[in-house]
Amino acid sequence: MRRSRLTYACLSALLVLGGWTATGTGQATADDSPTKAPAKASPAPASEGLLQAMRRDLGLSKEQAEKRLSAERTATALVPKARKAAGSAYGGSWFDARSERLTVGVTEDASPATVRRVEATGAAVRTVEHTARELDRAKARIDRLDAPSGVSSWHVDPAAGTVVVNVVRGERADNDVRDFVSRARAAGPVTVRTVASAPATFAAGTVGGDPYYTGNVRCSIGFSVHGGFITAGHCGGVGQQVRGWDGSYIGNFQGSSFPDNDYAWVNVGSGWWTVPVVLGWGTVPDQLVRGSAEAPVGASICRSGSTTRWHCGRVLAKNETVNYAQGAVHQMTKTSVCAEGGDSGGSFISGDQAQGVTSGGWGNCSSGGETWFQPVNEILGRYGLTLHTA
């Protein structure tokens, strides 16, 4: 009986957060850069549960969902090639859901030969005013500012050619917010947008289910790595004990960072073991993890967590700085997927590729909202971990 419970516990622990999984090696060392191109993804058929989730959350038919996944796999593979082809004229890239193609921005001074090289990769080309490097430098200057609570987050929007600063609706007239926006505009091209409410992490008190626990905090497991699993940093500090869904001891936080980052990893032992799977919760079949190729902005993405289970949406922005009450967290990816308390640490997956672990957001899965995740390749590189893949 104990073994069967542990079997389920382990699957649950490593699936609890995932909905889709990945292809490629997903391996990283402490010297690996998060921007390195992962191994090429190998197509795998989408499960019926995944297609159903995309139909529910993205309004797609089964055929449209299958076509979208195929197009996104192609776009993901094109990103490093198109970036190399654009060279110094590169202005960023994103997935266009209408054309179902990768779009690459190139600056006005790009030579006709450069444009032809980008088009030869299969990507669409759009002329932009600023290079990706210029926009990243502007965002880095804003990262050095102290943000008041009325400023939600900021990120580079390559399609708009600007750094977007998100301000909480109702706080835009606040003096501290106005001062921050003024200083941000001095850093480079900035557009101000409003959001419904301030972001918050998705940890929760002990309420049962199939999560993991640190003290009276419940979070969700992200992805298996050799020797343990990765999750959100705000769920626990180094040395803290972790218990499974059945209350049994799993391991301890071996590394944790929050704020500034929001990631952590936990060693696994005491009868628990790792498997390259994410739990489908009966909504979708349990999914094998195959790698961690990074999906572009605009791609569809799904999340699994111990509270709200499976939900899908789109990648809205990358390298966004999120201003939580506890402090700013950098290099986050923003999505239109909803989440709630207890989903923190859970898996974000696009197609069959691991993307990252749930950090926080605003809203809920009744009225909608937005959620951020910390990219998986950054976590693997930071701790020298290897993603457990099938």
Side-chain angles (χ1 to χ4, degrees), residues 8 15 18 48-49 52 278-286 304 309-310:
Y8 177 70
L15 317 200
E48 285 299 318
Q52 289 173 9
V278 291
L279 185 66
W281 292 101
T283 302
V284 299
D286 295 345
S304 180
R309 304 186 178 184
W310 280 88

Side-chain angles (χ1 to χ4, degrees), residues 68-132:
R68 173 74 62 83
L69 290 172
S70 176
E72 288 171 351
R73 282 194 295 266
T74 299
T76 297
L78 286 183
V79 171
K81 300 175 184 177
R83 181 167 192 155
K84 182 178 180 180
S88 61
Y90 181 70
S93 61
W94 58 95
F95 181 79
D96 187 330
R98 290 187 177 181
S99 65
E100 295 193 328
R101 295 178 65 190
L102 181 73
T103 300
V104 176
V106 297
T107 53
E108 296 176 348
D109 58 355
S111 68
T114 296
V115 173
R116 287 194 296 270
R117 283 196 299 270
V118 176
E119 291 175 334
T121 67
V125 174
R126 180 189 295 181
T127 301
V128 295
E129 182 177 357
H130 302 285
T131 66

Side-chain angles (χ1 to χ4, degrees), residues 146-154 198-199 321-329:
D146 291 327
S149 59
V151 176
S152 170
S153 62
W154 52 96
T321 300
V322 180
N323 190 35
Y324 291 129
Q326 300 92 332
V329 176

